[in-house]
Amino acid sequence: QVQLVESGGGLVQAGGSLRLSCTASGRFLSIGAMGWYRQAPGKQRELVAVITSVGRTNYADSVKGRFTISRDNAKNTVLLQMNSLKPEDTAVYYCYAERASTYWGQGTQVTVSS
C-alpha cells in the first residue's frame, strides 16, 4: 500500500554533490523509519543512512561527514544530501520505508567519475 518514488540520481565528477529524494504515497497511516541502501556491481547491498520517525539518524562509516539524511514528515519525503562524492560512492541507491512491512523504491543510479 506504499509506493516510493525516487529522484535525483545522475552522473557527477568526484568532489561533486547530488541530492536524492524519495516520496512515499499510497494508503497508509504513518511511516516509521526511512532510509537509503546502495548496491554497487559485484558488492553486497549496504545501509547508507537511516532516519527514524522522530529524526534520529545513523550513517555508514564510509559516508559520515559527507552525507546528510533528513525527512519531511508532512510530505512523506526523505532526502539524502551527498557531498564530496567519491568514485566508490557509485551504486544504485534504494530508498526504503517501514510501515507494517518494508517498502522499497526502484533505485536510482549514482555514478561518480574520477
Side-chain angles (χ1 to χ4, degrees):
Q1 300 299 313
V2 178
Q3 296 80 46
L4 303 178
V5 179
E6 303 167 323
S7 64
L11 172 64
V12 298
Q13 297 289 318
S17 298
L18 285 173
R19 190 187 194 193
L20 306 183
S21 66
C22 174
T23 298
S25 63
R27 296 181 61 188
F28 55 87
L29 297 178
S30 63
I31 296 291
M34 300 183 75
W36 297 87
Y37 278 81
R38 67 185 181 187
Q39 187 165 27
K43 298 183 179 180
Q44 295 185 153
R45 184 179 60 180
E46 65 173 337
L47 179 65
V48 177
V50 61
I51 184 167
T52 71
S53 61
V54 296
R56 185 176 297 275
T57 60
N58 191 35
Y59 298 91
D61 288 341
S62 60
V63 307
K64 286 181 179 177
R66 300 188 297 119
F67 291 10
T68 302
I69 189 170
S70 61
R71 67 188 290 167
D72 184 334
N73 289 331
K75 297 181 179 179
N76 296 313
T77 296
V78 61
L79 305 173
L80 186 67
Q81 179 67 46
M82 305 186 294
N83 298 325
S84 301
L85 284 162
K86 304 175 180 179
E88 49 263 47
D89 295 318
T90 296
V92 177
Y93 285 69
Y94 297 92
C95 172
Y96 77 90
E98 296 182 351
R99 180 62 177 87
S101 302
T102 300
Y103 299 89
W104 296 89
Q106 294 299 307
T108 185
Q109 177 70 49
V110 171
T111 302
V112 184
S113 62
S114 60

